[in-house]
């Protein structure tokens, strides 16, 4: 008889995106004509093809694998030096931050990293997460037994929830009590909010004082338009003692299907044993990678490194400019019909208050029925998301313009209803 990991049984049923898919499929089955008009602005997946520099690099890498003289088998478990150097130079040294190559760990994407980092952290940590939140942070903690039971309102016993609301501009305040781990994501998914240096410094000061480790997710860093805002937590003095940063090539290079990302774990970040002994985390994470993985495929790493070439950078910028053009259109479209709008200025997500205090899922159903547009109900990201919805700017320009036209017509329908 094999026992199961019973923590999985605590997971709330009906994960957000399957529930959205279920409702959309039911609508299409019942309304075949309207079903053909459905535009999906729900899931945060990119729509544009890969930058040509990455494609060419992956093709060259594949050619190398095709010849005995240049063939490559197992690579280093934490990533090839050429990629780690491109990252350390391009994302850090170019901005005056010193990060060493051996503080960078290549992976198959940061969703996995956000969960597997828990392998090197102990049991019993007090964990702070924002509300609303990217569900991966919560569910991965549930799976490894860091929470109690599900409460039915979307929350779990044992987690410290940090409300993000219009009152704090959707930027979590530091908790009143000490916590051991805190997840932050800026630019934020789902709210599109961005933090400034001053508030990020407050977080780093809090972490240093309480010996908290900040798990800082910057999957959307390349969407930051305002040059005065921090692109990395390591822009803040002291962050190299208390923060682990999660990067992804999914949203800048369009690697959602290719799969590549990296973590930064500075050698100065420490955890503690139960009897208070300091333990640097970088060697544990290195060991974890070399034991549990043989790393990312050579061709994919070559494709990722190419994003740092001059052509790669220009092509990524073009992609981001395109999506941010969509975000501006969506923001303006919602604002014009009198909705309150956040995000979409340094992030690809626009976060909108529902009209007439409608519940998120009611508004989701209304949008699907009346406008044939799929949005993401804010309540799916946490209790504080209730009364809001997220629109993603990952779409074609034509679709985005059509969505705005339909939303404008919907206002009339909503008022009439
Ligand atoms: C998309 C996304 C990621 C990146 O996921 P990958 O596994 O790298 O594709 C990480 N964090 C957030 C908040 C995201 O939205």
């Amino acid at each position: 008889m094999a026992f199961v990991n019973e923590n999985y049984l605590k997971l709330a049923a009906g994960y957000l995106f399957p529930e959205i898919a279920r409702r959309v499929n039911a609508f299409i089955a019942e309304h075949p004509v309207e079903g053909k008009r459905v535009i999906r602005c729900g899931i945060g997946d990119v729509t544009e093809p890969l930058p040509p520099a990455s494609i060419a690099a992956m093709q060259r890498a594949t050619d190398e694998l095709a010849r005995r003289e240049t063939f490559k088998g197992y690579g280093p478990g934490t990533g090839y030096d050429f990629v780690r150097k491109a990252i350390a130079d391009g994302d850090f040294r170019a901005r005056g931050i010193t990060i060493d190559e051996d503080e960078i760990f290549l992976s198959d994407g940061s969703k996995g990293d956000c969960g597997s980092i828990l392998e090197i952290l102990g049991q019993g940590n007090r964990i702070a997460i924002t509300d609303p939140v990217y569900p991966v942070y919560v569910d991965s903690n549930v799976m490894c037994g860091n929470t109690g039971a599900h409460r039915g309102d979307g929350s779990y016993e044992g987690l410290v929830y940090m409300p993000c609301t219009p009152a704090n501009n959707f930027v979590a305040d530091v908790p009143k009590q000490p916590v051991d781990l805190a997840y932050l994501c800026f630019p934020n998914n789902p709210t599109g909010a961005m933090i400034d240096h001053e508030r990020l410094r407050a977080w780093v000061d809090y972490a240093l004082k309480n010996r908290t480790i900040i798990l800082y997710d910057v999957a959307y860093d390349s969407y930051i338009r305002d040059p005065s805002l921090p692109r990395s937590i390591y822009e803040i003095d002291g962050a190299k003692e208390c923060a682990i940063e999660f990067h992804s090539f999914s949203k800048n290079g369009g690697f959602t299907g290719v799969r590549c990302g990296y973590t930064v774990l500075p050698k100065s970040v420490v955890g503690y044993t139960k009897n208070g002994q300091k333990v640097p985390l970088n060697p544990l994470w290195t060991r974890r990678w070399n034991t549990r993985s043989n790393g990312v495929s050579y061709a994919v790493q070559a494709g990722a490194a190419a994003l740092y070439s001059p052509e790669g950078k220009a092509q990524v910028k073009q992609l981001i400019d395109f999506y941010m053009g969509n975000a501006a259109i969506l923001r303006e479209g919602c604002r014009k019909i009198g909705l309150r709008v956040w995000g979409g200025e340094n992030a690809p997500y626009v976060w909108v208050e529902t009209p007439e205090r409608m519940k998120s899922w009611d508004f989701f159903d209304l949008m699907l029925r009346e406008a044939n547009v799929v949005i993401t109900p804010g309540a799916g990201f946490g209790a504080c998301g209730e009364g809001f919805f997220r629109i993603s700017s990952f779409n074609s320009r034509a679709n985005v313009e059509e969505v705005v036209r339909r939303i404008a017509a919907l206002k009339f329908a909503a008022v009439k209803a």
Side-chain angles (χ1 to χ4, degrees):
M1 185 178 79
F3 296 115
V4 298
N5 178 349
E6 293 190 29
N7 295 314
Y8 276 64
L9 310 182
K10 293 184 207 158
L11 289 166
Y15 176 66
L16 175 60
F17 291 105
E19 177 59 19
I20 291 176
R22 194 188 64 75
R23 292 190 190 210
V24 173
N25 292 339
F27 175 79
I28 292 172
E30 282 163 34
H31 306 86
V33 179
E34 292 90 337
K36 288 207 179 60
R37 299 174 76 228
V38 168
I39 299 178
R40 291 160 206 265
C41 298
I43 284 193
D45 194 357
V46 296
T47 51
E48 302 308 300
L50 297 177
S54 278
I55 296 168
M58 286 194 272
Q59 284 168 339
R60 278 194 305 274
T62 311
D63 290 340
E64 287 177 47
L65 298 178
R67 292 199 316 275
R68 179 177 298 277
E69 310 77 65
T70 49
F71 170 77
K72 289 187 167 54
Y74 286 130
T78 52
Y80 280 101
D81 287 342
F82 72 88
V83 202
R84 296 170 106 188
K85 179 165 188 326
I87 291 169
D89 286 344
D91 285 344
F92 299 102
R93 289 174 192 136
R95 298 191 199 127
I97 303 167
T98 312
I99 292 291
D100 294 336
E101 277 78 351
D102 60 2
E103 297 176 318
I104 291 167
F105 300 76
L106 271 288
S107 75
D108 66 341
S110 71
K111 186 188 208 175
D113 290 335
C114 291
S116 51
I117 194 71
L118 294 171
E119 285 179 30
I120 63 163
L121 298 165
Q123 295 280 312
N125 284 320
R126 290 160 298 183
I127 297 158
I129 57 140
T130 61
D131 177 8
V133 69
Y134 178 56
V136 173
Y137 313 145
V138 177
D139 289 358
S140 54
N141 275 290
V142 176
M143 288 171 173
C144 72
N146 282 344
T147 72
H150 185 243
R151 286 203 196 96
D153 64 349
S155 70
Y156 288 88
E157 283 166 15
L159 292 178
V160 175
Y161 286 91
M162 304 182 283
C164 297
T165 65
N168 58 16
N169 250 314
F170 298 98
V171 175
D173 302 306
V174 299
K176 300 225 159 39
Q177 71 268 53
V179 299
D180 306 305
L181 298 179
Y183 289 83
L184 294 177
C185 172
F186 290 108
N188 190 260
N189 177 12
T191 66
M194 190 48 206
I195 195 166
D196 61 19
H197 278 90
E198 194 188 328
R199 295 190 71 182
L200 194 52
R201 184 177 313 282
W203 265 102
V204 170
D205 290 345
Y206 168 91
L208 293 173
K209 183 167 149 240
N210 294 289
R211 296 191 286 185
T212 310
I213 292 176
I214 299 174
L215 302 166
Y216 198 68
D217 184 342
V218 294
Y220 299 96
D221 60 341
S222 40
Y223 291 82
I224 299 171
R225 305 253 111 171
D226 180 344
S228 75
L229 296 172
R231 299 271 308 242
S232 161
I233 196 168
Y234 304 117
E235 289 181 27
I236 310 293
D237 281 341
K240 275 169 75 175
E241 272 70 58
C242 63
I244 303 174
E245 196 164 84
F246 298 86
H247 287 252
S248 169
F249 298 112
S250 286
K251 314 300 173 14
N252 62 344
F255 273 38
T256 52
V258 176
R259 310 302 307 140
C260 196
Y262 69 91
T263 47
V264 184
L265 212 174
K267 290 184 283 260
S268 39
V269 174
V270 296
Y272 293 85
T273 63
K274 285 265 144 66
N275 52 29
Q277 188 197 341
K278 266 188 193 178
V279 180
L281 293 182
N282 177 290
L284 303 193
W285 194 226
T286 305
R287 180 66 190 261
R288 185 264 171 201
W289 276 97
N290 288 328
T291 300
R292 304 265 279 187
S293 171
N294 281 309
V296 182
S297 84
Y298 172 62
V300 166
Q301 291 190 59
L307 297 173
Y308 293 91
S309 67
E311 315 80 69
K313 278 189 207 154
Q315 290 158 4
V316 167
K317 181 175 180 303
Q318 244 180 359
L319 281 174
I320 306 282
D321 286 348
F322 169 73
Y323 292 129
M324 289 306 282
N326 287 350
I329 293 168
L330 290 167
R331 263 182 71 86
E332 186 54 22
C334 291
R335 215 190 46 77
K336 250 195 182 140
I337 61 160
L339 299 179
R340 288 214 291 167
V341 178
W342 293 265
E345 291 182 310
N346 295 289
Y349 298 118
V350 180
W351 184 249
V352 193
E353 193 172 49
T354 60
E356 298 159 7
R357 300 182 158 269
M358 281 180 82
K359 297 266 190 195
S360 305
W361 278 107
D362 291 343
F363 189 70
F364 172 90
D365 288 334
L366 180 120
M367 282 285 277
L368 181 58
R369 224 174 35 239
E370 307 288 332
N372 311 138
V373 171
V374 182
I375 45 107
T376 314
F381 298 104
C384 290
E386 183 57 276
F388 296 89
F389 63 97
R390 186 190 79 173
I391 311 187
S392 153
S393 58
F394 296 126
N395 223 316
S396 67
R397 183 58 52 88
N399 272 353
V400 164
E401 285 168 348
E402 176 63 14
V403 165
V404 166
R405 273 193 294 275
R406 292 189 198 172
I407 292 179
L410 177 79
K411 188 209 168 194
F412 189 53
V415 168
K416 272 198 306 191

